[in-house]
C-alpha cells in the first residue's frame, strides 16, 4: 500500500511503498495545474531524478492481484501475450491520464511509448472521452448498409487534411487491415502484382502484410509474401552510406562526408540499390511501393532527404502506385507537418493510417484517389465494423483535439528539444550511436562502440530498459537487432517531461557503464 507524507507549505511529498517500489525514495513536487515541474537537467547521475507530477489522482486499485493476472495470462491468454510482455518485472497498468500512467500499486509512470505510438493526444483525453460517451449513448453500431451522420462528418473531415487528389476514404479496424486493403487495391488498379518495401520495415502481421514486413522476428515459416520484395533500406546511420547532412532531422549522424550542401552521395547510392532491385527482382511492371516516411518499428530510421521523391518517380515509371504508411507518423507526430510524407515533398497515391487516428480506439483508414478507389467496385467488399459510429466520433474528436491543443506544434517544439538534449548524451557515451527523428517520432540507436557501430546486444539493452522503467519512464524498443530505443509519447508531453527522461536515461546509461 502506498503512503503519502506531504509538506503543506513546501508542497513536497515523500512517498513510501512496497520494498522495491522506486517511489520509496522519490521526492515529488506537486504542481498546481496539469503542467509539471522543471527538473534540474544537470544533476549528477548519482541522484534519483524527480518525476514531474500532475494534479490528477488515479482511482484506488481494488482489482485482482498481480500474481492472479499473470496466472491467467499464462493459462487463458494465448502464449503470445507472455512472449511480448515487456520487462523482467512487468508493469501492471491501472489507469492513464494524458502522458501519465499509474500501475496497480499507484506508482506513476511517464509514458513515452503511448501503447506503441498510438495514444496521440493523451490517455483518456477529456474531449475524446466526452465524444465517445456522447456517441455511446446514441448509437453503437449500424454498418455501411445504412446512412448515418457520424460516418459522413468524419470522412469529410479526414479528407480535408489531405491534398488533392487524395479524397476517398476507406475505414478499417487496424493498421494491418488498412495495409492489406492498400495492397489489394494497388493490385486491382494497376493490374500488376509485385510490391516493394524496405528491409527492416514493419507494415503488419497478417498473412498478407507479413510479406511487406521485413524483420525476421515477425516472419513465420508459412507461405506468405507472394509478390513482395524488399529493397535496401536507405538507413544513413547503419547502412553502408551516410553523412552529416543527409536527413531531415534536428540531429544528424556523426558520420563524415564531403558532399556539398544540397547534394547527397548516399542518396545516389541508395537509389542505385533500388534501381538494381527493379532491374533484377521484380517484373518490368509493378503494383506498388510502400514506405513509412520515418520507420517506426524499424527504429525511427530516416532516409536521405530526396530519396522518396526519386523512388516515387522510378516506381511510377514502372506502372506502380506509391503508398505512404502513416500508421505511426501521421496526425502531426513529425511536428513540421500533419503527415510525414509532406516532409519529403511528395504526394502519395494512397495513404494508410491507424494507431494515433483513434488515440487508442481500434480503427484505421486508407485514403486514395477517386480513380484508384473506383477499381474496388469490380467486386463487393464488406467490413462489418469499418466506419463504426463510435470510432467515427472518436476519430473526429481526435482531429479537433490536435488542432485545439496545438498538438502538432508541441510535437515539433518538445521533440526538437528532446532530440537536441539526447544528442548531448550521444556525444558523452560510447554506446549511444545515433539520435534521430522528427517531432515526437524519435529513435536512439545503441551500439557496442562508435568504431564498429555493432548493435548493443539484447541483454545489455534489457538492463538499461529495465532501469529506465524502474526510474519511472516507459519507452519502447525496435530495430532489426532490437538495438534502438523508441520514443513516441502522447503528443502532449512537456519540456519538463523531456528533461526528466533525459536525466533518467543519463543515469541508466551511466549505471550500465559503471557495471560493465
Ligand atoms: N504499419 C506500421 C508502420 C505499424 O507500425 C504497424 C503496427 N506496429 C502496422 C502497420 C500494423 O498495425 P496494426 O497493429 O494496427 O495491425
Amino acid at each position: 500500500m502506498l503512503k503519502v507524507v506531504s509538506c503543506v507549505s513546501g508542497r513536497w511529498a515523500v512517498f513510501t511503498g512496497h520494498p522495491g517500489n522506486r517511489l520509496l525514495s522519490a521526492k515529488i513536487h506537486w504542481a498546481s495545474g496539469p503542467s509539471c515541474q522543471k527538473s534540474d537537467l544537470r544533476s549528477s547521475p548519482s541522484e534519483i531524478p524527480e518525476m514531474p507530477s500532475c494534479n490528477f489522482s488515479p482511482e484506488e486499485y481494488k482489482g485482482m492481484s498481480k500474481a492472479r493476472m499473470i496466472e491467467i495470462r499464462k493459462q487463458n491468454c494465448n502464449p503470445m501475450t507472455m512472449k511480448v510482455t515487456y520487462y523482467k518485472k512487468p508493469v501492471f497498468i491501472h489507469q492513464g491520464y494524458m502522458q501519465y500512467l499509474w500501475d496497480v500499486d499507484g506508482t506513476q509512470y511517464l509514458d513515452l511509448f503511448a501503447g506503441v505510438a498510438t495514444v496521440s493526444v493523451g490517455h483518456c483525453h477529456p474531449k475524446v472521452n466526452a465524444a465517445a460517451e456522447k456517441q455511446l449513448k446514441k448509437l453503437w453500431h449500424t454498418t455501411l448498409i445504412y446512412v448515418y451522420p457520424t460516418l459522413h462528418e468524419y470522412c469529410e473531415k479526414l479528407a480535408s487534411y489531405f491534398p488533392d487528389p487524395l479524397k476517398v476514404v476507406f475505414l478499417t479496424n487496424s493498421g494491418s487491415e488498412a495495409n492489406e486493403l492498400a495492397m489489394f487495391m494497388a493490385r486491382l488498379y494497376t493490374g500488376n502484382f509485385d510490391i516493394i518495401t524496405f528491409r527492416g520495415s514493419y507494415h503488419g502481421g497478417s498473412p498478407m502484410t507479413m510479406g511487406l514486413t521485413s524483420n525476421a522476428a515477425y516472419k513465420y515459416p508459412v507461405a506468405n509474401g507472394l509478390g513482395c520484395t524488399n529493397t535496401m533500406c536507405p538507413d544513413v546511420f547503419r547502412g553502408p552510406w551516410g553523412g552529416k547532412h543527409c536527413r531531415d532531422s534536428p540531429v544528424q549522424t556523426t558520420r563524415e562526408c564531403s558532399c556539398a550542401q544540397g547534394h547527397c552521395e548516399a542518396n545516389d547510392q541508395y537509389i542505385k540499390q533500388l534501381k538494381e532491385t527493379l532491374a533484377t527482382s521484380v517484373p518490368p511492371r509493378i503494383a506498388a511501393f510502400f514506405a513509412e516516411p520515418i520507420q517506426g518499428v524499424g527504429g525511427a530510421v530516416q532516409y536521405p532527404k530526396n530519396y522518396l521523391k526519386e523512388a516515387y518517380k522510378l516506381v511510377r515509371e514502372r506502372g506502380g502506385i506509391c503508398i505512404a504508411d502513416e500508421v505511426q507518423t501521421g496526425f502531426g507526430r513529425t511536428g513540421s507537418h500533419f503527415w510525414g510524407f509532406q516532409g519529403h515533398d511528395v504526394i502519395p497515391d494512397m495513404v494508410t493510417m491507424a494507431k494515433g487516428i483513434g488515440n487508442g480506439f481500434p480503427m484505421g483508414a486508407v485514403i486514395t484517389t477517386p480513380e484508384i478507389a473506383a477499381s474496388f467496385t469490380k467486386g463487393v467488399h464488406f467490413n462489418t465494423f469499418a466506419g463504426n459510429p463510435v470510432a467515427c466520433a472518436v476519430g473526429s474528436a481526435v482531429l479537433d483535439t490536435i488542432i485545439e491543443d496545438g498538438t502538432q506544434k508541441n510535437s515539433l517544439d518538445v521533440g526538437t528539444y528532446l532530440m537536441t538534449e539526447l544528442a548531448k548524451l550521444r556525444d558523452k557515451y560510447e554506446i549511444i550511436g545515433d539520435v534521430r527523428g522528427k517531432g515526437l517520432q524519435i529513435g536512439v540507436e545503441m551500439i557496442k562502440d562508435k568504431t564498429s557501430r555493432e548493435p548493443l546486444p539484447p541483454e545489455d539493452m534489457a538492463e538499461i530498459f529495465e532501469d529506465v522503467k524502474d526510474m519511472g519512464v516507459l519507452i519502447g524498443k525496435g530495430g532489426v537487432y532490437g538495438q534502438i530505443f523508441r520514443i513516441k509519447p502522447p503528443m502532449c508531453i512537456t519540456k519538463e517531461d523531456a528533461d526528466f527522461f533525459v536525466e533518467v536515461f543519463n543515469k541508466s546509461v551511466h549505471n550500465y557503464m559503471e557495471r560493465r
Side-chain angles (χ1 to χ4, degrees):
M1 193 52 85
L2 208 64
K3 183 180 163 205
V4 180
V5 183
S6 66
C7 162
V8 178
S9 56
R11 296 161 74 213
W12 288 98
V14 175
F15 286 88
T16 58
H18 291 298
N21 185 324
R22 69 183 165 77
L23 290 181
L24 263 173
S25 51
K27 204 165 101 184
I28 306 289
H29 179 249
W30 292 109
S32 52
S35 64
C36 302
Q37 82 167 101
K38 189 154 177 62
S39 312
D40 176 12
L41 232 179
R42 277 147 290 280
S43 67
S44 138
S46 60
E47 290 165 21
I48 291 171
E50 290 165 5
M51 164 77 82
S53 65
C54 64
N55 61 356
F56 178 83
S57 304
E59 287 166 19
E60 192 187 342
Y61 179 72
K62 293 179 182 158
M64 68 169 68
S65 72
K66 291 191 271 189
R68 184 79 190 111
M69 278 191 263
I70 289 291
E71 221 172 83
I72 295 171
R73 202 165 168 89
K74 285 180 178 164
Q75 281 167 14
N76 306 116
C77 302
N78 71 74
M80 203 50 61
T81 54
M82 281 312 292
K83 196 163 177 188
V84 300
T85 302
Y86 263 180
Y87 304 116
K88 271 183 250 151
K89 286 176 280 151
V91 181
F92 294 76
I93 301 292
H94 166 45
Q95 200 168 346
Y97 179 71
M98 300 307 278
Q99 67 270 47
Y100 299 112
L101 287 167
W102 285 264
D103 71 9
V104 297
D105 299 319
T107 302
Q108 183 181 342
Y109 293 89
L110 170 63
D111 181 9
L112 296 190
F113 201 36
V116 194
T118 299
V119 178
S120 43
V121 292
H123 289 281
C124 299
H125 192 294
K127 287 177 205 157
V128 183
N129 275 13
E133 280 167 27
K134 195 169 155 205
Q135 186 59 42
L136 278 168
K137 284 183 190 146
K138 222 186 286 170
L139 182 71
W140 280 42
H141 177 73
T142 154
T143 86
L144 305 181
I145 58 175
Y146 304 111
V147 183
Y148 49 98
T150 41
L151 172 77
H152 305 87
E153 282 160 15
Y154 182 56
C155 287
E156 184 185 42
K157 194 182 281 184
L158 184 61
S160 75
Y161 283 78
F162 285 91
D164 279 331
L166 295 169
K167 291 295 164 199
V168 184
V169 176
F170 292 82
L171 294 170
T172 67
N173 304 292
S174 71
S176 298
E177 208 186 300
N179 281 340
E180 280 220 17
L181 192 58
M183 292 172 84
F184 191 45
M185 273 198 280
R187 286 171 169 160
L188 278 176
Y189 173 68
T190 62
N192 302 326
F193 191 62
D194 289 73
I195 300 178
I196 299 176
T197 57
F198 287 135
R199 253 167 244 152
S201 63
Y202 185 95
H203 296 285
S206 63
M208 243 169 89
T209 57
M210 203 186 291
L212 304 177
T213 293
S214 165
N215 181 327
Y218 300 105
K219 296 272 193 189
Y220 281 81
V222 294
N224 72 80
L226 193 60
C228 294
T229 298
N230 309 126
T231 192
M232 182 186 274
C233 180
D235 178 345
V236 298
F237 173 72
R238 176 152 299 284
W241 306 286
K244 54 182 185 235
H245 313 290
C246 303
R247 64 189 179 203
D248 178 18
S249 170
V251 182
Q252 295 294 332
T253 71
T254 52
R255 292 176 87 163
E256 285 302 317
C257 70
S258 52
C259 302
Q261 279 278 8
H263 181 80
C264 178
E265 279 168 26
N267 188 46
D268 297 346
Q269 294 295 341
Y270 288 117
I271 285 290
K272 233 190 226 173
Q273 291 293 318
L274 175 61
K275 284 183 178 164
E276 205 158 299
T277 302
L278 289 165
T280 59
S281 309
V282 290
R285 306 288 291 170
I286 62 170
F289 168 68
F290 265 82
E292 292 174 83
I294 299 174
Q295 275 188 356
V297 178
V301 173
Q302 288 183 280
Y303 328 127
K305 281 173 208 150
N306 278 321
Y307 182 94
L308 283 188
K309 211 170 191 175
E310 292 182 37
Y312 274 28
K313 188 163 174 283
L314 293 171
V315 169
R316 285 172 175 151
E317 280 167 8
R318 284 154 182 83
I321 66 164
C322 298
I323 303 173
D325 180 335
E326 295 270 3
V327 167
Q328 295 210 13
T329 46
F331 300 92
R333 181 164 290 282
T334 63
S336 61
H337 300 88
F338 201 82
W339 305 111
F341 69 77
Q342 293 168 309
H344 292 274
D345 194 21
V346 293
I347 298 185
D349 304 297
M350 205 181 272
V351 178
T352 61
M353 298 151 260
K355 292 191 187 278
I357 191 173
N359 199 40
F361 198 88
M363 59 188 293
V366 179
I367 193 158
T368 190
T369 68
E371 198 187 337
I372 296 174
S375 65
F376 207 47
T377 54
K378 286 175 192 162
V380 176
H381 176 90
F382 186 73
N383 184 329
T384 302
F385 292 121
N388 170 277
V390 184
C392 289
V394 166
S396 198
V398 168
L399 287 172
D400 293 346
T401 304
I402 290 171
I403 302 300
E404 287 162 22
D405 289 8
T407 306
Q408 184 185 323
K409 168 109 178 30
N410 193 58
S411 277
L412 182 66
D413 294 346
V414 179
T416 303
Y417 173 73
L418 177 52
M419 276 182 272
T420 311
E421 292 301 304
L422 287 169
K424 293 179 191 164
L425 298 186
R426 177 203 59 189
D427 296 340
K428 180 172 165 186
Y429 293 108
E430 186 67 6
I431 62 163
I432 303 180
D434 196 28
V435 172
R436 57 178 176 251
K438 266 186 82 173
L440 288 170
Q441 176 82 338
I442 300 173
V444 180
E445 181 145 359
M446 306 298 288
I447 50 173
K448 280 188 185 163
D449 58 78
K450 286 191 164 121
T451 317
S452 73
R453 278 187 280 140
E454 268 187 51
L456 195 68
E459 321 77 74
D460 302 53
M461 287 292 289
E463 274 185 43
I464 298 170
F465 195 52
E466 193 88 17
D467 208 14
V468 168
K469 179 262 296 177
D470 287 340
M471 280 190 265
V473 186
L474 305 180
I475 55 175
K477 273 190 292 188
V480 174
Y481 310 102
Q483 81 282 22
I484 299 153
F485 289 124
R486 293 160 62 199
I487 298 148
K488 1 188 116 176
M491 294 183 273
C492 54
I493 66 160
T494 63
K495 279 192 176 169
E496 286 72 26
D497 295 320
D499 283 336
F500 172 60
F501 170 62
V502 172
E503 276 195 85
V504 164
F505 193 58
N506 183 22
K507 184 162 167 54
S508 311
V509 176
H510 173 88
N511 289 348
Y512 166 84
M513 297 300 271
E514 294 243 295
R515 284 193 303 270
R516 193 157 85 150

